Amino acid sequence: MHKRVVITGLGVVTPLGTGLERFWSNLIDGVSGIGPIARFDAADFSTRIAGEVKDFKAEDYMDRKAARRMDKFSQFALASAGMALSHAELDLEKTDKDRVAVIMGSGIGGLETLENQKETLLSRGPGRVSPFFIPMMISNMAAGQIAINFGLRGPNLTTTSACASANNAIGDSFKLLQRGQADVAITGGAEAPITPLAIAGFCSMKAMSTRNDEPEHASCPFDKERDGFVIGEGAATLVLETLEHAQRRGAHIYAEICGYGSTCDAYHISAPDPEGKGAVLAMQMALKDAQMKPEEIDYVNAHGTSTAPGDKAETLAIHEVFEGHASKLAVSSTKSMTGHLLGAAGAIEGVACVMAIKQGQIPPTINYNTPDPECDLDYVPNQSRNMHVRAAISNSFGFGGHNVSLIFKSID
């Protein structure tokens, strides 16, 4: 018999603020975390805006020397993991560390380190490339650093499925705990993609908004005037435990995770299936896994990136899965405020789902001003909503056609 799995801790580093309280407050208030890129001179780029983390000092969360030997995405991950463990009040000295897993998602890994070291190679020669280059850059190192820092010897791996990476990490952690292979999982996602090379690549794809003169309004999922996504950075970590482990130590339980669906469009390297077929399968798979009916879901945290084809395909998919219940769903895209954190997005949005269930509040989709006839759901426009949420589904879809849906529900 499968074990039940619950969420007992949350930690975040986001463009809306570092720390759960600040993040959630800004999310519910509809604050935009998008602004002009300050990390480097972006004057020559067609997109010059992003969701940068503005209040993060690595040395507040880790040893200064250790921080210098980590890429920014690992720093974000380690900081958010520390916050999540503290939030869970999990005393690791009283926990069997052999049975604590760490599974993190990252779509890109240490790209800033790669760019810097390539520059060093070209300008100063191979002998000046850092001996820490490889362990800083490789995408599995966020999970590795968390395990090293906290002495966690359970299963440890990284999922990479583009913008679905974090949802795959959380889903795989859920299944691992369900099967009894560990008691606790530290899971989520981290990404630090605001670098010249990444921005140039996405600019060349013409995937991002070019609304540079009004950055706080640039991410407008499901609005008819949307013109592309806005990139973001950060990390989020969730502490998952088997219900029996959480109850045995008297932990505060925020919600239960009960459904996981993972599929592929098998259609295109970057565009979604226009009918959302893979997304439909992922949501249906998650519902079947949770043994829930569509009408038991109250809230959808949409992938909703603010691209024309993606938002339309997701809307079609929600209609197909939920049929007559679709019009009763609250559907919002928190990317309207955070931007798109790529491989970390699903973790941030998982935290938003858990908080929506716990607090009885639905975050809004901000910048929703002009309805699109092809996107006709209740997107919780511009203002948060007080609402009892029995269960929420979180969608993440990635380049390559990856689709992942997770279902969280109230523990009551």
Side-chain angles (χ1 to χ4, degrees):
M1 184 173 177
H2 286 160
K3 296 176 182 290
R4 293 175 67 185
V5 179
V6 298
I7 297 103
T8 57
L10 306 167
V12 296
V13 178
T14 83
L16 291 178
T18 295
L20 183 62
E21 185 175 343
R22 187 174 181 197
F23 163 70
W24 180 247
S25 174
N26 283 332
L27 200 71
I28 287 299
D29 288 345
V31 174
S32 172
I34 312 302
I37 292 175
R39 190 70 45 75
F40 61 90
D41 182 0
D44 294 334
F45 293 69
S46 58
T47 292
R48 300 184 290 279
I49 56 175
E52 294 178 321
V53 173
K54 306 170 189 67
D55 60 349
F56 179 79
K57 294 181 180 177
E59 54 268 33
D60 289 344
Y61 303 95
M62 62 202 77
D63 176 78
R64 184 189 298 265
K65 183 178 179 182
R68 284 202 303 269
R69 296 176 176 178
M70 289 184 212
D71 186 271
K72 195 179 300 295
F73 90 105
S74 289
Q75 294 176 358
F76 290 161
L78 184 55
S80 69
M83 284 184 262
L85 284 165
S86 177
H87 189 228
E89 299 183 332
L90 181 63
D91 186 346
L92 290 173
E93 297 308 312
K94 297 179 180 177
T95 303
D96 183 353
K97 295 181 183 179
D98 295 351
R99 291 187 55 80
V100 179
V102 183
I103 305 179
M104 296 295 287
S106 184
I108 299 178
L111 187 59
E112 184 175 49
T113 297
L114 176 64
E115 290 185 37
N116 290 341
Q117 292 302 306
K118 178 65 182 302
E119 184 65 29
T120 298
L121 172 68
L122 295 177
S123 63
R124 303 175 67 186
R128 302 307 298 266
V129 170
S130 170
F132 298 102
F133 164 47
I134 298 299
M136 287 174 69
M137 178 202 70
I138 52 180
S139 57
N140 64 303
M141 199 48 69
Q145 288 285 7
I146 291 169
I148 292 166
N149 193 73
F150 296 107
L152 308 176
R153 294 179 292 269
N156 189 293
L157 62 128
T158 294
T159 57
T160 296
S161 49
C163 305
S165 298
N167 263 12
N168 271 131
I170 296 167
D172 289 352
S173 298
F174 162 51
K175 289 297 168 186
L176 186 144
L177 295 187
Q178 241 190 6
R179 294 192 299 265
Q181 291 178 260
D183 300 320
V184 180
I186 312 302
T187 184
E191 205 79 272
I194 304 176
T195 72
L197 186 59
I199 299 297
F202 283 117
C203 284
S204 294
M205 295 180 72
K206 303 188 184 307
M208 296 194 296
S209 172
T210 56
R211 205 166 284 166
N212 297 304
D213 295 332
E214 45 179 357
E216 67 276 15
H217 301 303
S219 183
C220 48
F222 304 108
D223 186 278
K224 189 176 182 181
E225 304 302 323
R226 64 194 184 277
D227 71 332
F229 78 88
V230 178
I231 201 166
E233 64 178 358
T237 299
L238 296 82
V239 176
L240 306 187
E241 297 181 58
T242 61
L243 176 62
E244 59 190 354
H245 188 273
Q247 288 178 330
R248 190 162 59 240
R249 71 180 187 86
H252 182 85
I253 296 172
Y254 287 83
E256 180 174 2
I257 179 169
C258 56
Y260 175 32
S262 179
T263 68
C264 185
D265 284 350
Y267 173 77
H268 190 271
I269 57 171
S270 56
D273 181 301
E275 298 178 13
K277 292 179 181 176
V280 169
L281 287 174
M283 285 187 274
Q284 290 175 335
M285 187 183 295
L287 284 165
K288 183 178 181 181
D289 188 41
Q291 300 182 42
M292 295 178 72
K293 299 175 182 176
E295 53 267 31
E296 293 179 85
I297 302 294
D298 295 314
Y299 171 52
V300 178
N301 187 295
H303 183 60
T305 60
S306 190
T307 65
D311 292 357
K312 178 184 173 184
E314 186 170 14
T315 298
L316 288 172
I318 291 170
H319 272 295
E320 181 162 341
V321 172
F322 291 93
E323 298 181 330
H325 184 62
S327 62
K328 300 175 184 175
L329 288 168
V331 181
S332 72
S333 171
T334 44
K335 290 186 180 73
S336 60
M337 294 168 276
T338 63
H340 189 356
L341 278 68
L342 308 183
I348 295 286
E349 289 152 17
V351 170
C353 287
V354 171
M355 291 298 288
I357 291 168
K358 185 65 180 174
Q359 300 294 335
Q361 290 179 290
I362 303 287
T365 304
I366 69 166
N367 302 319
Y368 185 84
N369 298 309
T370 307
D372 181 346
E374 295 186 308
C375 297
D376 58 355
L377 296 167
D378 173 7
Y379 299 111
V380 194
N382 302 312
Q383 299 289 330
S384 61
R385 182 179 300 166
N386 292 327
M387 176 178 160
H388 176 62
V389 181
R390 296 168 298 170
I393 190 166
S394 175
N395 288 334
S396 287
F397 311 136
F399 283 177
H402 306 291
N403 308 288
V404 183
S405 296
L406 298 173
I407 296 178
F408 303 91
K409 70 177 184 180
S410 170
I411 193 68
D412 299 328

